[in-house]
Amino acid sequence: MGAYDDESFQAAYDTVMAKWPADREAVRVPTPYGTAYVNVCGPRDAPALLLLPGGGGATSASWFAQAADLARVRRVYALDLVGAAGRSTGNGVRTLADLDAWLDAVLTGLGVDRADVGGHSYGGWLALRLALRAPERIRRLFLLDPTQCFAGYKATYLLRALPMLVRPTPRRVRAFLEWETGGAGLDPDCLRLQEAAAGFPAERPVTGPRPRPDALRGLQAPVLLLVAANSRTSARPRLPSGGASPAHEPAARAGATVRDLETIVLPDVSHHALPSALPSGAGRRLIGFLGG
């Protein structure tokens, strides 16, 4: 693995966090698996909103572009994932049951019984999993170009990611992200943070299968799905004649199974440029969806 420099990582993290609202506070929540680190902002009496980041070096800091707007209508709790790059500490999360227990312990420790939940990429999969297994805890759900929810990964995406995964270095991280985004929409401070995360002493992420169609049909929470039109992550086999285009395949599959669904396709946006590159119009719709 590449040589990891914690001082550089922490400095890069702080640089992105400086873009958050001034009232942001850091909260540490003890769990059976270690201490969770949560960035919190917004009115204390507002409904809770849990934000889950993607994997691959992303952290809660990545929500900086939405934090101020969301914090006007929600008490925002942005979580660093256990065993991943960020400021949550601990280990022992090796199974889906462990991951579920960790997230439940975080919500309980925060005093959050019920929340809106949003996630990007891997965080979208985790958010959807929470909504399916604990519907009583979820009011509304938004998924920002989620992976492993409605479609699998493209083989080309996995092949491109392989060098970075096998031997992560800042150069390999940058090359991969610039390939996926076409060099467009990458926030330079977020890019530096993900470069600094190369070689972070993280555990293998806990993943699982895509939800079954029958489980998705039983989803109770309203869902807002935001799909990056230029994403290179998800496999998009063509639908039968008359179906959606390959670029909108995850949206079509979600629409075929999720009963209370609104979909927004984000033009000229790639997977890894999010969340920071979320267009302002989509951001306003997100606020409206949450009830602001």
Side-chain angles (χ1 to χ4, degrees), residues 19-39:
K19 301 181 180 185
W20 274 62
D23 68 343
R24 190 269 308 181
E25 58 181 306
V27 175
R28 290 175 170 83
V29 180
T31 79
Y33 299 92
T35 301
Y37 185 92
V38 191
N39 286 298

Side-chain angles (χ1 to χ4, degrees), residues 59 71 209 251:
T59 69

Side-chain angles (χ1 to χ4, degrees), residues 78-241:
L79 180 59
D80 280 350
L81 300 179
V82 65
R87 289 176 174 170
S88 288
T89 61
N91 52 43
V93 174
R94 298 184 177 87
T95 68
L96 290 175
D98 293 335
L99 185 61
D100 293 343
W102 175 78
L103 187 54
D104 288 344
V106 173
L107 289 171
T108 299
L110 290 169
V112 174
D113 296 321
R114 198 160 182 255
D116 298 315
V117 181
H120 170 235
S121 190
Y122 172 77
W125 173 81
L126 187 56
L128 179 58
R129 178 174 174 80
L130 176 62
L132 290 170
R133 68 177 179 81
E136 72 283 357
R137 303 199 81 154
I138 308 301
R139 279 191 303 264
R140 290 177 175 270
L141 178 68
F142 80 85
L143 306 174
L144 183 55
D145 210 47
T147 51
Q148 287 295 96
C149 289
F150 309 110
Y153 287 104
K154 281 184 178 179
T156 52
Y157 177 85
L158 295 176
L159 287 172
R160 285 278 189 166
L162 189 60
M164 177 187 67
L165 297 174
V166 171
R167 187 173 177 272
T169 66
R171 182 176 180 180
R172 289 183 175 189
V173 169
R174 177 181 286 268
F176 173 73
L177 293 177
E178 288 184 342
W179 166 78
E180 197 281 327
T181 62
L186 278 170
D187 177 82
D189 293 326
C190 282
L191 176 58
R192 280 190 286 272
L193 177 55
Q194 291 201 249
E195 287 180 316
F200 189 95
E203 298 181 352
R204 182 185 296 274
V206 176
T207 60
R210 295 197 302 276
R212 300 186 313 275
D214 60 327
L216 291 171
R217 292 187 186 98
L219 187 65
Q220 297 180 24
V223 179
L224 177 64
L225 173 64
L226 302 108
V227 179
N230 291 352
S231 174
R232 297 190 178 192
T233 60
S234 297
R236 311 186 197 280
R238 291 185 178 276
L239 291 176
S241 177

Side-chain angles (χ1 to χ4, degrees), residues 227-281:
V227 179
N230 291 352
S231 174
R232 297 190 178 192
T233 60
S234 297
R236 311 186 197 280
R238 291 185 178 276
L239 291 176
S241 177
S245 70
H248 303 163
E249 182 76 12
R253 292 192 177 192
T257 52
V258 179
R259 60 183 178 181
D260 191 351
L261 174 75
E262 178 183 350
T263 300
I264 299 175
V265 177
L266 309 174
D268 304 319
V269 178
S270 69
H271 180 79
H272 287 287
L274 296 168
S276 62
L278 183 69
S280 58

